């Protein structure tokens, strides 16, 4: 095998792994949706109590923060539905990348990388809401946070495999430094 063939094989493995992980994230999000509409459901209850002895998932699902309330024509929308759509979209892009040219795959992976940065920020926000206001940490939610983090790392290595990993981080870092400087604020590195 040539170096190019090895890189293509490694990239293919990373893309398949990303597709499978995103599907797993969809499954866990689906279980969380069931828990939202049926607090204390058997499947979520079994998974949650096995991990922490109590049912923190039910406490989180019953909280006012577990959904977007009173959306016109739709009613309440569980936050987990956003996760289901997020993982479905990410998984679709990973799968699409398998069937694309290297240049197209690079574009898909760059977009995935940016979406996963937003996903990580959302996960951090949700975790902080959980510990600060709800006073419970849903173990299934934590699994989705882990899936997002692993997908982020996987996407970074996929981009690195294409020779863009460090380049992309440098570009993002430079972009945010410029934005901060435009606002007149100086970044603090304490």
């Amino acid at each position: 095998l040539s170096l190019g063939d090895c890189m293509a094989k490694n990239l293919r493995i990373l893309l398949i792994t990303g597709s499978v992980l995103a599907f797993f994230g969809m499954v866990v999000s689906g279980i969380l949706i069931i828990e939202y509409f049926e607090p204390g459901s058997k499947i979520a209850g079994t998974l949650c109590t096995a991990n922490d002895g109590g049912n923190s998932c039910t406490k989180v699902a019953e909280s006012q923060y577990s959904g977007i309330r009173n959306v016109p024509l739709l009613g309440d929308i569980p936050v987990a539905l956003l996760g289901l759509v997020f993982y479905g979209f990410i998984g679709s892009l990973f799968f699409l990348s398998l069937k694309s040219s290297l240049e197209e795959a690079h574009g898909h992976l760059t977009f995935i990388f940016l979406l996963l940065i937003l996903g990580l920020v959302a996960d951090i926000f949700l975790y902080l809401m959980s510990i600060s206001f709800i006073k419970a940490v849903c173990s299934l939610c934590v699994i989705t946070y882990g899936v997002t983090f692993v997908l982020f790392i996987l996407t970074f290595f996929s981009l690195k495999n294409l020779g863009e990993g460090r380049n992309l981080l440098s570009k993002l870092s430079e972009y945010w430094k410029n934005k901060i400087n435009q606002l007149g604020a100086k970044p603090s590195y304490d």
Side-chain angles (χ1 to χ4, degrees), residues 109-121:
L109 288 168
T110 301
F111 188 53
I112 290 170
F113 190 77
L114 295 173
L115 288 174
L116 287 167
I117 289 172
L118 293 175
L120 287 172
V121 169

Side-chain angles (χ1 to χ4, degrees), residues 116-129:
L116 287 167
I117 289 172
L118 293 175
L120 287 172
V121 169
D123 286 349
I124 290 167
F125 174 76
L126 291 170
Y127 179 74
L128 291 174
M129 291 287 292

Side-chain angles (χ1 to χ4, degrees), residues 119-149:
L120 287 172
V121 169
D123 286 349
I124 290 167
F125 174 76
L126 291 170
Y127 179 74
L128 291 174
M129 291 287 292
S130 186
I131 61 173
S132 300
F133 297 105
I134 304 170
K135 306 286 191 231
V137 178
C138 166
S139 53
L140 290 175
C141 299
V142 171
I143 289 171
T144 65
Y145 307 156
V147 169
T148 304
F149 181 74

Side-chain angles (χ1 to χ4, degrees), residues 14-179:
L14 290 170
L15 294 174
I16 290 169
T17 305
S19 297
V20 170
L21 270 174
F23 179 75
F24 178 71
M26 286 179 64
V27 169
V28 176
S29 295
I31 294 168
L32 287 166
I33 292 169
I34 293 168
E35 181 66 13
Y36 177 84
F37 288 112
E38 299 175 25
S41 67
K42 188 171 184 173
I43 187 167
T46 302
L47 293 170
C48 287
T49 55
N51 195 24
D52 62 12
N55 198 339
S56 57
C57 297
T58 298
K59 185 173 181 182
V60 171
E62 290 176 337
S63 78
Q64 65 181 353
Y65 306 106
S66 64
I68 303 166
R69 308 291 180 196
N70 302 317
V71 177
L73 302 175
L74 299 175
D76 293 349
I77 298 174
V79 171
L81 180 61
L82 301 175
L84 182 83
V85 171
F86 176 77
Y87 291 119
F89 187 64
I90 297 286
S92 298
L93 288 173
F94 270 114
F95 186 75
L96 190 60
S97 296
L98 279 167
K99 307 292 182 189
S100 302
S101 68
L102 285 179
E103 185 176 304
E104 290 171 331
H106 178 266
H108 296 151
L109 288 168
T110 301
F111 188 53
I112 290 170
F113 190 77
L114 295 173
L115 288 174
L116 287 167
I117 289 172
L118 293 175
L120 287 172
V121 169
D123 286 349
I124 290 167
F125 174 76
L126 291 170
Y127 179 74
L128 291 174
M129 291 287 292
S130 186
I131 61 173
S132 300
F133 297 105
I134 304 170
K135 306 286 191 231
V137 178
C138 166
S139 53
L140 290 175
C141 299
V142 171
I143 289 171
T144 65
Y145 307 156
V147 169
T148 304
F149 181 74
V150 172
L151 284 169
F152 175 79
I153 298 299
L154 192 74
T155 304
F156 173 77
F157 282 111
S158 296
L159 285 166
K160 187 175 178 188
N161 194 39
L162 289 172
E164 289 294 324
R166 286 194 180 116
N167 218 2
L168 182 63
L169 288 180
S170 297
K171 287 178 186 175
L172 286 173
S173 174
E174 191 62 35
Y175 173 81
W176 286 111
K177 283 180 190 175
N178 288 336
K179 285 295 178 190

